[in-house]
Amino acid sequence: MDGFLWAEWPKALKYYWDDKPVPQPNPNLVHPVPTPTPAAIAAEEMEPGDQADAIEPDPNDPTPPQGPPPSWVLNTLAYMDWHEIPNYWEYARRFTLCDMFFSSLMGPSEPNHLYALAAQSGGLVNNPGPGLAGEPGVYTFPTMAELLENSGVSWKFYDEKADPHLHSLWNPLPGFRQFQENPELMAHLVHTEQFYQDLQSGTLPQVCWLVPVVGDSEHPPADVQTGMWYVTNLINAVMQSPYWQSAAIIVVWDDYGGFYDHVPPQQTDKYGFGPRVPALVISPFSRSGTICHQRFDLTSPLKLIETRFGLKPLTQRDAESNDMLDCFDFHQKPLPTDVISTSTKLDFSNLETTMP
């Protein structure tokens, strides 16, 4: 446990992991540029372990870094309930909670976002460094976006950052060469404000992805309640539109955020699974108040899309993934909306948490 706590500290992570073999990206699928673009990745989207000012240990010093570790490391043993994240608890009891949903890869944000879009990361296991980070056209493997485009299924990727056409940790699509070479694909990458406009104008596509900026992301050390309200506002907008009657909303996080989990991920290949992540399925046809114990990962929504539209899988990962249909009952009476505002009084007085 001490090693786990220390490993949340970048200096200690290097000490505990530095001599372990790390898979390298497939050179046929991932192509670093020879001359990195200065400041290609926005500072606001860097993750704590990526910060340039992190103090690195001497590579010739075999001793662990001197303690004590930073005080925030103790947060890895914490958990949150309805006191901190009441809206998520409300969704969990009204709709469906998945308690065996895993990140796709034993790693951080960008490779997991690649899995969520392409059912692979091209062998990338860390957030990209110079030559890949923020660079356009460095990935050359298929994504669900082209599969939808070529199949006549409407789609958009809604990005909260100022320019959705820039490659970033949580929006890697501009990092794909096929996007840089096809303006029609790039036109599908739009700002989150367009999501609200599409709901109001009746032009919401059949498949949507939405990603936040770091302040709304709940990524440590961001305020989880700020992120919760970002998500709540999006869900409220769908519930207050005609699209609710046929919607399936999947709320999921890209990695485990550094929190300890007692459930080890099953290893399907040398890349994953990674640790469990929270996941909610919100729909008129969700199994209300149900905890789904079926195993899912970030490729499972892709499998659901493929099942819904009769599409072929992108890789072996999504081919073998569960399609999330266990979260739905399409014969039940449709569930009503559950619009939550800051004035909504949520009552959890009958709930008790159990000891981990």
mmCIF file of all heavy atoms in Angstrom, residues 93-139:
data_model
loop_
_atom_site.group_PDB
_atom_site.id
_atom_site.type_symbol
_atom_site.label_atom_id
_atom_site.label_comp_id
_atom_site.label_asym_id
_atom_site.label_seq_id
_atom_site.Cartn_x
_atom_site.Cartn_y
_atom_site.Cartn_z
ATOM 1 N N ARG A 93 -29.648 5.866 -8.982
ATOM 2 C CA ARG A 93 -30.821 5.188 -8.414
ATOM 3 C C ARG A 93 -32.038 5.277 -9.334
ATOM 4 O O ARG A 93 -32.960 4.470 -9.219
ATOM 5 C CB ARG A 93 -31.148 5.742 -7.034
ATOM 6 C CG ARG A 93 -31.637 7.170 -6.981
ATOM 7 C CD ARG A 93 -31.951 7.568 -5.548
ATOM 8 N NE ARG A 93 -32.366 8.967 -5.426
ATOM 9 C CZ ARG A 93 -32.723 9.532 -4.277
ATOM 10 N NH1 ARG A 93 -32.719 8.811 -3.162
ATOM 11 N NH2 ARG A 93 -33.078 10.796 -4.232
ATOM 12 N N ARG A 94 -32.076 6.245 -10.248
ATOM 13 C CA ARG A 94 -33.210 6.368 -11.171
ATOM 14 C C ARG A 94 -32.986 5.613 -12.475
ATOM 15 O O ARG A 94 -33.950 5.194 -13.124
ATOM 16 C CB ARG A 94 -33.465 7.841 -11.500
ATOM 17 C CG ARG A 94 -33.781 8.728 -10.310
ATOM 18 C CD ARG A 94 -35.046 8.307 -9.601
ATOM 19 N NE ARG A 94 -35.351 9.233 -8.499
ATOM 20 C CZ ARG A 94 -36.231 8.978 -7.556
ATOM 21 N NH1 ARG A 94 -36.891 7.827 -7.546
ATOM 22 N NH2 ARG A 94 -36.442 9.866 -6.586
ATOM 23 N N PHE A 95 -31.714 5.432 -12.835
ATOM 24 C CA PHE A 95 -31.407 4.790 -14.121
ATOM 25 C C PHE A 95 -30.482 3.597 -13.871
ATOM 26 O O PHE A 95 -30.772 2.803 -12.986
ATOM 27 C CB PHE A 95 -30.820 5.839 -15.074
ATOM 28 C CG PHE A 95 -31.774 6.981 -15.337
ATOM 29 C CD1 PHE A 95 -31.618 8.206 -14.678
ATOM 30 C CD2 PHE A 95 -32.848 6.832 -16.194
ATOM 31 C CE1 PHE A 95 -32.509 9.256 -14.884
ATOM 32 C CE2 PHE A 95 -33.749 7.870 -16.413
ATOM 33 C CZ PHE A 95 -33.578 9.083 -15.752
ATOM 34 N N THR A 96 -29.401 3.438 -14.613
ATOM 35 C CA THR A 96 -28.566 2.239 -14.496
ATOM 36 C C THR A 96 -27.131 2.606 -14.187
ATOM 37 O O THR A 96 -26.547 3.481 -14.846
ATOM 38 C CB THR A 96 -28.609 1.416 -15.806
ATOM 39 O OG1 THR A 96 -29.973 1.126 -16.132
ATOM 40 C CG2 THR A 96 -27.844 0.116 -15.657
ATOM 41 N N LEU A 97 -26.571 1.941 -13.201
ATOM 42 C CA LEU A 97 -25.170 2.094 -12.826
ATOM 43 C C LEU A 97 -24.419 0.835 -13.246
ATOM 44 O O LEU A 97 -24.863 -0.283 -12.965
ATOM 45 C CB LEU A 97 -25.047 2.294 -11.317
ATOM 46 C CG LEU A 97 -23.641 2.291 -10.726
ATOM 47 C CD1 LEU A 97 -22.859 3.521 -11.166
ATOM 48 C CD2 LEU A 97 -23.708 2.230 -9.196
ATOM 49 N N CYS A 98 -23.278 1.000 -13.896
ATOM 50 C CA CYS A 98 -22.436 -0.142 -14.300
ATOM 51 C C CYS A 98 -21.259 -0.229 -13.330
ATOM 52 O O CYS A 98 -20.452 0.710 -13.259
ATOM 53 C CB CYS A 98 -21.917 0.048 -15.720
ATOM 54 S SG CYS A 98 -23.217 0.258 -16.956
ATOM 55 N N ASP A 99 -21.161 -1.329 -12.599
ATOM 56 C CA ASP A 99 -20.100 -1.425 -11.597
ATOM 57 C C ASP A 99 -18.932 -2.304 -12.041
ATOM 58 O O ASP A 99 -18.025 -2.575 -11.258
ATOM 59 C CB ASP A 99 -20.651 -1.921 -10.259
ATOM 60 C CG ASP A 99 -21.034 -3.394 -10.266
ATOM 61 O OD1 ASP A 99 -21.137 -3.989 -11.365
ATOM 62 O OD2 ASP A 99 -21.244 -3.954 -9.169
ATOM 63 N N MET A 100 -18.959 -2.726 -13.315
ATOM 64 C CA MET A 100 -17.826 -3.489 -13.857
ATOM 65 C C MET A 100 -17.389 -2.880 -15.189
ATOM 66 O O MET A 100 -17.132 -3.575 -16.166
ATOM 67 C CB MET A 100 -18.213 -4.962 -14.022
ATOM 68 C CG MET A 100 -18.352 -5.710 -12.724
ATOM 69 S SD MET A 100 -16.766 -5.916 -11.844
ATOM 70 C CE MET A 100 -16.014 -7.193 -12.846
ATOM 71 N N PHE A 101 -17.333 -1.563 -15.204
ATOM 72 C CA PHE A 101 -16.908 -0.833 -16.400
ATOM 73 C C PHE A 101 -15.445 -0.433 -16.187
ATOM 74 O O PHE A 101 -15.112 0.234 -15.226
ATOM 75 C CB PHE A 101 -17.778 0.409 -16.601
ATOM 76 C CG PHE A 101 -17.749 0.974 -17.988
ATOM 77 C CD1 PHE A 101 -18.875 0.959 -18.793
ATOM 78 C CD2 PHE A 101 -16.587 1.531 -18.511
ATOM 79 C CE1 PHE A 101 -18.858 1.480 -20.075
ATOM 80 C CE2 PHE A 101 -16.547 2.059 -19.795
ATOM 81 C CZ PHE A 101 -17.695 2.032 -20.577
ATOM 82 N N PHE A 102 -14.577 -0.858 -17.098
ATOM 83 C CA PHE A 102 -13.141 -0.649 -16.953
ATOM 84 C C PHE A 102 -12.620 0.320 -18.009
ATOM 85 O O PHE A 102 -13.175 0.413 -19.114
ATOM 86 C CB PHE A 102 -12.392 -1.981 -17.087
ATOM 87 C CG PHE A 102 -12.665 -2.949 -15.971
ATOM 88 C CD1 PHE A 102 -13.751 -3.808 -16.027
ATOM 89 C CD2 PHE A 102 -11.843 -2.988 -14.853
ATOM 90 C CE1 PHE A 102 -14.024 -4.698 -14.992
ATOM 91 C CE2 PHE A 102 -12.101 -3.872 -13.811
ATOM 92 C CZ PHE A 102 -13.188 -4.736 -13.880
ATOM 93 N N SER A 103 -11.568 1.034 -17.668
ATOM 94 C CA SER A 103 -10.846 1.743 -18.711
ATOM 95 C C SER A 103 -10.232 0.696 -19.639
ATOM 96 O O SER A 103 -10.026 -0.458 -19.257
ATOM 97 C CB SER A 103 -9.774 2.652 -18.109
ATOM 98 O OG SER A 103 -8.958 1.947 -17.195
ATOM 99 N N SER A 104 -9.979 1.082 -20.871
ATOM 100 C CA SER A 104 -9.551 0.093 -21.869
ATOM 101 C C SER A 104 -8.073 -0.247 -21.778
ATOM 102 O O SER A 104 -7.647 -1.316 -22.216
ATOM 103 C CB SER A 104 -9.852 0.607 -23.279
ATOM 104 O OG SER A 104 -11.245 0.629 -23.508
ATOM 105 N N LEU A 105 -7.306 0.667 -21.201
ATOM 106 C CA LEU A 105 -5.857 0.523 -21.218
ATOM 107 C C LEU A 105 -5.301 0.923 -19.865
ATOM 108 O O LEU A 105 -5.802 1.854 -19.229
ATOM 109 C CB LEU A 105 -5.286 1.408 -22.338
ATOM 110 C CG LEU A 105 -3.789 1.525 -22.477
ATOM 111 C CD1 LEU A 105 -3.386 1.445 -23.952
ATOM 112 C CD2 LEU A 105 -3.289 2.855 -21.896
ATOM 113 N N MET A 106 -4.268 0.240 -19.431
ATOM 114 C CA MET A 106 -3.623 0.544 -18.162
ATOM 115 C C MET A 106 -2.764 1.790 -18.333
ATOM 116 O O MET A 106 -1.532 1.734 -18.378
ATOM 117 C CB MET A 106 -2.777 -0.641 -17.705
ATOM 118 C CG MET A 106 -2.219 -0.509 -16.302
ATOM 119 S SD MET A 106 -3.475 -0.665 -15.011
ATOM 120 C CE MET A 106 -3.858 -2.417 -15.091
ATOM 121 N N GLY A 107 -3.449 2.936 -18.483
ATOM 122 C CA GLY A 107 -2.720 4.168 -18.744
ATOM 123 C C GLY A 107 -3.628 5.370 -18.613
ATOM 124 O O GLY A 107 -4.777 5.262 -18.175
ATOM 125 N N PRO A 108 -3.145 6.547 -19.037
ATOM 126 C CA PRO A 108 -3.853 7.804 -18.807
ATOM 127 C C PRO A 108 -4.833 8.164 -19.921
ATOM 128 O O PRO A 108 -5.297 7.300 -20.684
ATOM 129 C CB PRO A 108 -2.703 8.811 -18.711
ATOM 130 C CG PRO A 108 -1.672 8.259 -19.651
ATOM 131 C CD PRO A 108 -1.787 6.770 -19.557
ATOM 132 N N SER A 109 -5.106 9.460 -20.042
ATOM 133 C CA SER A 109 -6.248 9.935 -20.826
ATOM 134 C C SER A 109 -6.196 9.635 -22.323
ATOM 135 O O SER A 109 -7.087 8.988 -22.863
ATOM 136 C CB SER A 109 -6.415 11.447 -20.630
ATOM 137 O OG SER A 109 -6.952 11.733 -19.367
ATOM 138 N N GLU A 110 -5.192 10.160 -23.026
ATOM 139 C CA GLU A 110 -5.283 10.100 -24.494
ATOM 140 C C GLU A 110 -5.378 8.685 -25.045
ATOM 141 O O GLU A 110 -6.225 8.423 -25.907
ATOM 142 C CB GLU A 110 -4.145 10.856 -25.171
ATOM 143 C CG GLU A 110 -4.291 10.835 -26.688
ATOM 144 C CD GLU A 110 -3.718 12.047 -27.394
ATOM 145 O OE1 GLU A 110 -3.501 13.090 -26.761
ATOM 146 O OE2 GLU A 110 -3.483 11.947 -28.608
ATOM 147 N N PRO A 111 -4.553 7.732 -24.591
ATOM 148 C CA PRO A 111 -4.737 6.388 -25.145
ATOM 149 C C PRO A 111 -6.115 5.804 -24.861
ATOM 150 O O PRO A 111 -6.669 5.081 -25.702
ATOM 151 C CB PRO A 111 -3.617 5.562 -24.498
ATOM 152 C CG PRO A 111 -3.100 6.381 -23.376
ATOM 153 C CD PRO A 111 -3.364 7.807 -23.701
ATOM 154 N N ASN A 112 -6.694 6.135 -23.711
ATOM 155 C CA ASN A 112 -8.049 5.651 -23.434
ATOM 156 C C ASN A 112 -9.086 6.342 -24.312
ATOM 157 O O ASN A 112 -10.063 5.716 -24.739
ATOM 158 C CB ASN A 112 -8.371 5.822 -21.951
ATOM 159 C CG ASN A 112 -7.878 4.650 -21.121
ATOM 160 O OD1 ASN A 112 -8.287 3.508 -21.337
ATOM 161 N ND2 ASN A 112 -6.979 4.922 -20.179
ATOM 162 N N HIS A 113 -8.892 7.617 -24.606
ATOM 163 C CA HIS A 113 -9.803 8.292 -25.538
ATOM 164 C C HIS A 113 -9.677 7.706 -26.942
ATOM 165 O O HIS A 113 -10.665 7.639 -27.681
ATOM 166 C CB HIS A 113 -9.527 9.790 -25.554
ATOM 167 C CG HIS A 113 -10.178 10.527 -24.434
ATOM 168 N ND1 HIS A 113 -11.438 11.081 -24.519
ATOM 169 C CD2 HIS A 113 -9.761 10.769 -23.163
ATOM 170 C CE1 HIS A 113 -11.755 11.654 -23.373
ATOM 171 N NE2 HIS A 113 -10.752 11.471 -22.528
ATOM 172 N N LEU A 114 -8.473 7.287 -27.305
ATOM 173 C CA LEU A 114 -8.302 6.624 -28.599
ATOM 174 C C LEU A 114 -9.100 5.325 -28.646
ATOM 175 O O LEU A 114 -9.759 5.019 -29.642
ATOM 176 C CB LEU A 114 -6.820 6.370 -28.873
ATOM 177 C CG LEU A 114 -5.986 7.611 -29.186
ATOM 178 C CD1 LEU A 114 -4.500 7.287 -29.133
ATOM 179 C CD2 LEU A 114 -6.355 8.181 -30.552
ATOM 180 N N TYR A 115 -9.060 4.560 -27.569
ATOM 181 C CA TYR A 115 -9.865 3.341 -27.513
ATOM 182 C C TYR A 115 -11.351 3.658 -27.614
ATOM 183 O O TYR A 115 -12.112 2.933 -28.258
ATOM 184 C CB TYR A 115 -9.589 2.578 -26.216
ATOM 185 C CG TYR A 115 -8.495 1.546 -26.338
ATOM 186 C CD1 TYR A 115 -7.172 1.889 -26.108
ATOM 187 C CD2 TYR A 115 -8.782 0.230 -26.701
ATOM 188 C CE1 TYR A 115 -6.153 0.946 -26.230
ATOM 189 C CE2 TYR A 115 -7.777 -0.716 -26.825
ATOM 190 C CZ TYR A 115 -6.463 -0.355 -26.587
ATOM 191 O OH TYR A 115 -5.467 -1.283 -26.721
ATOM 192 N N ALA A 116 -11.780 4.740 -26.975
ATOM 193 C CA ALA A 116 -13.199 5.111 -26.998
ATOM 194 C C ALA A 116 -13.666 5.516 -28.388
ATOM 195 O O ALA A 116 -14.862 5.469 -28.686
ATOM 196 C CB ALA A 116 -13.457 6.249 -26.014
ATOM 197 N N LEU A 117 -12.739 5.880 -29.254
ATOM 198 C CA LEU A 117 -13.082 6.305 -30.612
ATOM 199 C C LEU A 117 -12.697 5.295 -31.679
ATOM 200 O O LEU A 117 -13.297 5.274 -32.756
ATOM 201 C CB LEU A 117 -12.390 7.636 -30.927
ATOM 202 C CG LEU A 117 -12.880 8.854 -30.141
ATOM 203 C CD1 LEU A 117 -11.874 9.991 -30.261
ATOM 204 C CD2 LEU A 117 -14.243 9.294 -30.658
ATOM 205 N N ALA A 118 -11.674 4.479 -31.385
ATOM 206 C CA ALA A 118 -11.116 3.620 -32.433
ATOM 207 C C ALA A 118 -10.906 2.177 -31.992
ATOM 208 O O ALA A 118 -10.450 1.360 -32.794
ATOM 209 C CB ALA A 118 -9.784 4.199 -32.927
ATOM 210 N N ALA A 119 -11.211 1.849 -30.735
ATOM 211 C CA ALA A 119 -11.036 0.492 -30.198
ATOM 212 C C ALA A 119 -9.574 0.058 -30.192
ATOM 213 O O ALA A 119 -9.271 -1.129 -30.131
ATOM 214 C CB ALA A 119 -11.894 -0.517 -30.960
ATOM 215 N N GLN A 120 -8.681 1.016 -30.243
ATOM 216 C CA GLN A 120 -7.252 0.775 -30.090
ATOM 217 C C GLN A 120 -6.567 2.122 -29.893
ATOM 218 O O GLN A 120 -7.170 3.186 -30.089
ATOM 219 C CB GLN A 120 -6.652 0.073 -31.305
ATOM 220 C CG GLN A 120 -6.687 0.896 -32.591
ATOM 221 C CD GLN A 120 -5.745 0.361 -33.645
ATOM 222 O OE1 GLN A 120 -4.558 0.145 -33.385
ATOM 223 N NE2 GLN A 120 -6.281 0.118 -34.842
ATOM 224 N N SER A 121 -5.279 2.073 -29.530
ATOM 225 C CA SER A 121 -4.509 3.300 -29.376
ATOM 226 C C SER A 121 -3.275 3.301 -30.264
ATOM 227 O O SER A 121 -2.405 4.160 -30.093
ATOM 228 C CB SER A 121 -4.084 3.485 -27.914
ATOM 229 O OG SER A 121 -3.192 2.446 -27.531
ATOM 230 N N GLY A 122 -3.207 2.347 -31.183
ATOM 231 C CA GLY A 122 -2.014 2.257 -32.011
ATOM 232 C C GLY A 122 -0.783 1.850 -31.225
ATOM 233 O O GLY A 122 0.340 2.049 -31.673
ATOM 234 N N GLY A 123 -0.991 1.278 -30.047
ATOM 235 C CA GLY A 123 0.123 0.886 -29.196
ATOM 236 C C GLY A 123 0.610 1.987 -28.284
ATOM 237 O O GLY A 123 1.526 1.767 -27.487
ATOM 238 N N LEU A 124 0.010 3.171 -28.348
ATOM 239 C CA LEU A 124 0.363 4.261 -27.447
ATOM 240 C C LEU A 124 -0.178 3.950 -26.056
ATOM 241 O O LEU A 124 -1.365 3.670 -25.899
ATOM 242 C CB LEU A 124 -0.241 5.563 -27.963
ATOM 243 C CG LEU A 124 0.120 6.847 -27.221
ATOM 244 C CD1 LEU A 124 1.557 7.253 -27.507
ATOM 245 C CD2 LEU A 124 -0.838 7.977 -27.611
ATOM 246 N N VAL A 125 0.669 4.006 -25.026
ATOM 247 C CA VAL A 125 0.232 3.655 -23.679
ATOM 248 C C VAL A 125 0.342 4.814 -22.697
ATOM 249 O O VAL A 125 -0.137 4.708 -21.568
ATOM 250 C CB VAL A 125 1.012 2.439 -23.125
ATOM 251 C CG1 VAL A 125 0.763 1.213 -23.984
ATOM 252 C CG2 VAL A 125 2.504 2.741 -23.026
ATOM 253 N N ASN A 126 0.966 5.899 -23.108
ATOM 254 C CA ASN A 126 1.070 7.083 -22.261
ATOM 255 C C ASN A 126 0.504 8.284 -22.997
ATOM 256 O O ASN A 126 0.316 8.249 -24.220
ATOM 257 C CB ASN A 126 2.530 7.360 -21.898
ATOM 258 C CG ASN A 126 3.062 6.377 -20.877
ATOM 259 O OD1 ASN A 126 2.437 6.148 -19.847
ATOM 260 N ND2 ASN A 126 4.213 5.777 -21.169
ATOM 261 N N ASN A 127 0.238 9.351 -22.266
ATOM 262 C CA ASN A 127 -0.087 10.586 -22.954
ATOM 263 C C ASN A 127 1.091 10.971 -23.841
ATOM 264 O O ASN A 127 2.245 10.853 -23.423
ATOM 265 C CB ASN A 127 -0.390 11.706 -21.957
ATOM 266 C CG ASN A 127 -1.740 11.537 -21.308
ATOM 267 O OD1 ASN A 127 -2.644 10.932 -21.877
ATOM 268 N ND2 ASN A 127 -1.887 12.063 -20.103
ATOM 269 N N PRO A 128 0.829 11.407 -25.062
ATOM 270 C CA PRO A 128 1.923 11.620 -26.010
ATOM 271 C C PRO A 128 2.857 12.742 -25.595
ATOM 272 O O PRO A 128 2.448 13.726 -24.972
ATOM 273 C CB PRO A 128 1.195 11.962 -27.320
ATOM 274 C CG PRO A 128 -0.143 12.442 -26.894
ATOM 275 C CD PRO A 128 -0.482 11.701 -25.645
ATOM 276 N N GLY A 129 4.108 12.574 -25.979
ATOM 277 C CA GLY A 129 5.123 13.586 -25.718
ATOM 278 C C GLY A 129 5.416 14.397 -26.962
ATOM 279 O O GLY A 129 4.653 14.364 -27.947
ATOM 280 N N PRO A 130 6.502 15.156 -26.968
ATOM 281 C CA PRO A 130 6.855 15.973 -28.130
ATOM 282 C C PRO A 130 6.933 15.135 -29.411
ATOM 283 O O PRO A 130 7.468 14.032 -29.419
ATOM 284 C CB PRO A 130 8.232 16.531 -27.751
ATOM 285 C CG PRO A 130 8.240 16.546 -26.258
ATOM 286 C CD PRO A 130 7.464 15.325 -25.848
ATOM 287 N N GLY A 131 6.374 15.678 -30.457
ATOM 288 C CA GLY A 131 6.315 14.969 -31.736
ATOM 289 C C GLY A 131 4.968 14.336 -31.989
ATOM 290 O O GLY A 131 4.596 14.092 -33.136
ATOM 291 N N LEU A 132 4.217 14.071 -30.900
ATOM 292 C CA LEU A 132 2.859 13.538 -31.005
ATOM 293 C C LEU A 132 1.834 14.452 -30.338
ATOM 294 O O LEU A 132 0.756 14.679 -30.867
ATOM 295 C CB LEU A 132 2.770 12.142 -30.366
ATOM 296 C CG LEU A 132 3.445 10.975 -31.086
ATOM 297 C CD1 LEU A 132 3.330 9.710 -30.226
ATOM 298 C CD2 LEU A 132 2.829 10.745 -32.444
ATOM 299 N N ALA A 133 2.178 14.988 -29.171
ATOM 300 C CA ALA A 133 1.227 15.787 -28.396
ATOM 301 C C ALA A 133 0.742 16.998 -29.183
ATOM 302 O O ALA A 133 1.537 17.840 -29.599
ATOM 303 C CB ALA A 133 1.867 16.236 -27.092
ATOM 304 N N GLY A 134 -0.556 17.045 -29.404
ATOM 305 C CA GLY A 134 -1.143 18.191 -30.071
ATOM 306 C C GLY A 134 -0.862 18.286 -31.557
ATOM 307 O O GLY A 134 -1.319 19.229 -32.212
ATOM 308 N N GLU A 135 -0.137 17.317 -32.105
ATOM 309 C CA GLU A 135 0.237 17.392 -33.521
ATOM 310 C C GLU A 135 -0.893 16.891 -34.405
ATOM 311 O O GLU A 135 -1.568 15.914 -34.082
ATOM 312 C CB GLU A 135 1.496 16.569 -33.790
ATOM 313 C CG GLU A 135 2.724 17.003 -33.018
ATOM 314 C CD GLU A 135 3.323 18.317 -33.521
ATOM 315 O OE1 GLU A 135 2.838 18.833 -34.553
ATOM 316 O OE2 GLU A 135 4.263 18.812 -32.881
ATOM 317 N N PRO A 136 -1.108 17.504 -35.558
ATOM 318 C CA PRO A 136 -2.124 17.020 -36.499
ATOM 319 C C PRO A 136 -1.609 15.849 -37.326
ATOM 320 O O PRO A 136 -0.421 15.768 -37.646
ATOM 321 C CB PRO A 136 -2.373 18.247 -37.393
ATOM 322 C CG PRO A 136 -1.069 18.984 -37.373
ATOM 323 C CD PRO A 136 -0.486 18.767 -36.004
ATOM 324 N N GLY A 137 -2.499 14.920 -37.626
ATOM 325 C CA GLY A 137 -2.209 13.875 -38.599
ATOM 326 C C GLY A 137 -1.148 12.869 -38.227
ATOM 327 O O GLY A 137 -0.465 12.334 -39.100
ATOM 328 N N VAL A 138 -1.008 12.543 -36.923
ATOM 329 C CA VAL A 138 0.049 11.606 -36.515
ATOM 330 C C VAL A 138 -0.465 10.175 -36.337
ATOM 331 O O VAL A 138 0.326 9.252 -36.149
ATOM 332 C CB VAL A 138 0.736 12.080 -35.220
ATOM 333 C CG1 VAL A 138 1.568 13.319 -35.483
ATOM 334 C CG2 VAL A 138 -0.294 12.343 -34.113
ATOM 335 N N TYR A 139 -1.791 9.977 -36.391
ATOM 336 C CA TYR A 139 -2.370 8.641 -36.264
ATOM 337 C C TYR A 139 -2.954 8.211 -37.607
ATOM 338 O O TYR A 139 -3.569 9.015 -38.316
ATOM 339 C CB TYR A 139 -3.477 8.621 -35.211
ATOM 340 C CG TYR A 139 -3.045 9.085 -33.834
ATOM 341 C CD1 TYR A 139 -3.807 10.024 -33.128
ATOM 342 C CD2 TYR A 139 -1.897 8.588 -33.229
ATOM 343 C CE1 TYR A 139 -3.427 10.450 -31.866
ATOM 344 C CE2 TYR A 139 -1.514 9.010 -31.971
ATOM 345 C CZ TYR A 139 -2.277 9.944 -31.290
ATOM 346 O OH TYR A 139 -1.891 10.371 -30.044
#
